[in-house]
Amino acid sequence: MFKKNMAPRRMKQMGARSSTDGHFLQQAYIYKVVLLGGTTVGKSSIAFRYVKNDFKESMPTVGCSFFTQQVCLETATVKLEIWDTAGQEQYQSICHLYYRGAKAALLVYDITRKETFARAKLWLRELEKEFLHDEMVIILVGNKTDLADQREVTFEEAEEFAKIKSLMYMETSAKSNYQVTELFTAIAHELLKQEQQEDPGLQLRKNSCVDLQEPNGQTKKCCMS
Amino acid sequence: MAADVHKRKGWEVSNGSLMPADGQQTERSESPTPGLAQGMEPGAGQEGTMFVHTRSYEDLTSPEDGDIASKSPEEGPEERAEQTSMEQISKDFSELSTQLTGVALDLEEEMRPSQEDKTDLSPLVPQRDSVRSGKQEEDVTMDTWRMHQKHVFVLSEAGKPVYSRYGSEEALSSTMGVMMALVSFLEAEKNAIRSIHADGYKVVFVRRSPLVLVAVARTRQSEQEIAQELLYIYYQILSLLTWTQLNHIFLQKQNYDLRRLLAGSERITDNLLDLMARDPSFLMGAVRCLPMAAGLRDTVSSCLQQARAKSLVFSILLSRNQLVSLVRRKDQFLHPIDLHLLFNLISSSSSFREGEAWTPICLPKFNSSGFFHAHISYLEQDTDLCLLLVSTDREDFFPVSDCKRRFRERLGKRSVYHALQEALRTPFYSVSQVGIPDLRHFIYKSKSSGLFTSPEIEAPYVSEEEKQRLLELYQYMHSRAHNSSRPLKNIYFTGPHENLLAWVTSAFELYMCYSPLGTKAAAASTVNKLMKWIRREEDRLFILTPQTY
Ligand SMILES: Nc1nc2c(ncn2[C@@H]2O[C@H](COP(=O)(O)OP(=O)(O)OP(=O)(O)O)[C@@H](O)[C@H]2O)c(=O)[nH]1
Ligand SMILES: [Mg+2]
């Protein structure tokens, strides 16, 4: 069954709020952004750095954490709804719940652990099954650059992979606050760019794609409830 | 004892707000008597209860969960047939016990170079292998490991390690092997609880297919109490996976390594074990409320009640493992065990402090086959007030999140947020308020409401060890009062450092701790005074008017 509650948030809400509260404001863009990747790669730390501009020792996420953050760009204000998912195995079967309807996905890995890079690649495969190529902005994120001496995944290797798969790519450090804000700003820019490039025809097609969100046989199988 | 307590007094209306709702029995006696009906004791809800009715911890070990069959190897005629296996067991066990808690100190001394030698010889002496995994490692060959009060292991029926409280599971796999052998000897039927007593400690097994839970304890707890803790661990695992999923996994693959699936959640189980050693909630099978004026609580509850969504089943406001308010769907009751698991989940992770969490959670006592989705968030950055909204619909994040917003808005409008913060500042009261000079501490549980109250633990129980010792004394009293073969209603215990009194009726349980100077008669004569005090304070200490949507 198609769920109404989460669905409307997936689409940009143009001026919807301004008309209700009587003020006329610029267009309000709301995008759902999801953080995916193995456990302890630093997803929550990246979100926390971005939203609170702080870093502290964090514990594994339980289920999923939700944050919102406004990004002011020259042309528009973008509100990001950030879903920080749990990387732990036990939550994997419900992750589709969290990335469904997302406009952007951050595939985060830890540059000091090769296996987390492989994990990010697996995530990409899963997303490719669920989304059309132009439906989602995907950005590969190598985190923990402050631990450069323990690096196992080179910048070039990841960059090459991102190029082949036409993903955006960035390296960050939540700890030393390297490129975290830039990361989200880049995503907001890209989302806005795609929005503005869209012609009405494309828009129509995209809206009809909402049906894709409906759990197919395969995702249903993983539901645990 | 306590002959004067038995005087029945009619309940006098001393406070209008205490008036029971129409149609309710108005016989709330001022001080309860053993004959007092359940539902009339202090702390009993005036308009029904919030929780599934439970018979304290017996509920955990009741037939529904399998029967208690804790026997020492020697006793019980039916055990005779297993004589040979019992011999084998005691042999295995003596090996196991040296492995676990062995105090063969001289042998240890021989085997280990002395401290000075060790530093000198360190390049020559091979380092002990310490196995690494995610959590902090302890060398299982070390004394500290053996000295722990209680070890807990969880394994699959195929003998695969699932969880170990201290040290890594791999390092313990040989120990686990011995235990599995023991379990297979001991287990004729499923769902049984068995125990072995050996010098100074007990080994308790609980089998809940497809898992086996084992505790090796040096505490004074009864095997029933230890089994109860093991069952909490079992339920904790179910709350992450559901019973259905757990079973499905092991049906598919008998020797599945469950650690993979549970990786990262060991800390939740660790936290639960720590909490159970500290917090009497688990022993009492009851929930403690944050003390506050009844009017304030009612306002908060109605704010919570109004901020509802279709899919909500329970709305729970809590602060540091104390309940502030609970609103439930009319036809649904929460089980105290499920609430304990939720409290534990929240207290075991700081990650809920940021953002809004939305997570699947199984409430095994409510329904062990499916997940609810819980919205968990703190009301404000620097407060301990945590809001937990339990929804049946995992797609309902935004409507449920909106309930939180509306709840906060309502609190603000009715300007109770500040008063609430104020109440948080005094989460405990002092026992001196009761006015019984020799009384140091007490625990009072109302059976019908599933709520209990207890003052702050004060001097002489200042250090962590002293606090734990006090709880252990309560555990001891509790185990004697609930001994399955010979339950006692009244117990007076004289110890070197304190005297304790326990009184268990069908309506309530009371445990009191006195200074060692007093006498039994003196103690008994104060019970009435305490009960009167609780009656007078009950609307502050308990939730008497639980609300529903
Ligand atoms: N050195 C360094 N450590 C980091 C960085 N980011 C995160 N960490 C640490 O890595 C560990 C895991 O970080 P989290 O943010 O909790 O990881 P996560 O990806 O959210 O993990 P899950 O919630 O289990 O999926 C923590 O100990 C962080 O302190 C970083 O940029 N540099
Ligand atoms: Mg996280």
Side-chain angles (χ1 to χ4, degrees), chain B residues 158-173:
Chain B
K160 278 247 157 103
V162 173
Y163 169 81
S164 160
R165 187 178 192 182
Y166 304 107
S168 75
E169 294 84 355
E170 293 99 294
L172 289 164
S173 52

Side-chain angles (χ1 to χ4, degrees), chain A residues 61-194:
Chain A
T61 304
V62 175
C64 176
S65 295
F66 177 79
F67 304 87
T68 57
Q69 181 76 355
Q70 297 248 1
V71 194
C72 295
L73 303 174
E74 308 84 62
T75 49
T77 299
V78 172
K79 186 175 160 196
L80 299 180
E81 291 181 344
I82 302 165
W83 293 76
D84 166 30
T85 65
Q88 277 174 49
E89 192 71 28
Q90 74 199 78
Y91 297 108
Q92 292 319 291
S93 50
I94 48 148
C95 258
H96 63 95
L97 241 177
Y98 302 129
Y99 65 65
R100 247 170 30 196
K103 285 289 165 210
L106 286 76
L107 303 184
V108 186
Y109 66 94
D110 175 349
I111 62 155
T112 69
R113 278 159 54 224
K114 189 120 198 161
E115 73 271 17
T116 63
F117 185 52
R119 189 67 211 261
K121 289 179 178 173
L122 280 179
W123 269 118
L124 180 65
R125 279 239 291 276
E126 173 146 359
L127 291 180
E128 282 170 346
K129 275 190 279 179
E130 299 281 324
F131 293 87
L132 295 175
H133 181 72
D134 59 354
E135 246 185 333
M136 187 184 240
V137 172
I138 300 176
I139 179 161
L140 187 65
V141 182
N143 188 39
K144 307 198 187 181
T145 55
D146 56 295
L147 302 176
D149 52 330
Q150 297 163 45
R151 184 189 277 276
E152 285 185 6
V153 183
T154 64
F155 183 90
E156 292 73 25
E157 179 184 2
E159 190 184 37
E160 177 68 19
F161 176 77
K163 210 160 155 193
I164 293 167
K165 297 283 181 182
S166 51
L167 313 174
M168 295 168 72
Y169 169 60
M170 255 173 130
E171 284 197 344
T172 58
S173 167
K175 190 171 185 176
S176 58
N177 195 13
Y178 173 66
Q179 289 206 337
V180 174
T181 312
E182 288 83 344
L183 172 68
F184 287 93
T185 311
I187 292 165
H189 259 298
E190 185 62 26
L191 286 166
L192 207 58
K193 195 176 97 196
Q194 293 201 356

Side-chain angles (χ1 to χ4, degrees), chain B residues 264-368:
Chain B
S265 30
E266 301 91 348
R267 84 212 136 82
I268 304 177
T269 310
D270 293 347
N271 192 70
L272 180 59
L273 282 163
D274 290 344
L275 213 53
M276 286 193 292
R278 250 192 4 244
D279 184 338
S281 306
F282 299 88
L283 176 68
M284 302 311 296
V287 175
R288 191 204 302 249
C289 301
L290 183 80
M292 62 171 66
L296 174 61
R297 196 187 314 268
D298 287 346
T299 312
V300 172
S301 297
S302 71
C303 291
L304 200 53
Q305 191 255 352
Q306 282 158 30
R308 62 180 158 222
K310 253 208 191 109
S311 69
L312 278 192
V313 196
F314 302 111
S315 303
I316 301 159
L317 187 66
L318 64 136
S319 166
R320 289 177 176 264
N321 297 332
Q322 288 184 306
L323 185 63
V324 176
S325 174
L326 189 159
V327 181
R328 56 176 181 85
R329 212 185 259 183
K330 231 187 206 79
D331 45 344
Q332 307 295 348
F333 294 89
L334 192 58
H335 195 289
I337 290 171
D338 287 337
L339 189 56
H340 287 154
L341 294 175
L342 289 168
F343 280 15
N344 177 60
L345 175 72
I346 290 168
S347 69
S348 66
S349 183
S350 59
S351 74
F352 298 119
R353 292 221 162 246
E354 310 308 330
E356 300 169 46
W358 182 242
T359 182
I361 178 102
C362 168
L363 301 177
K365 276 295 191 175
F366 188 94
N367 178 349
S368 63

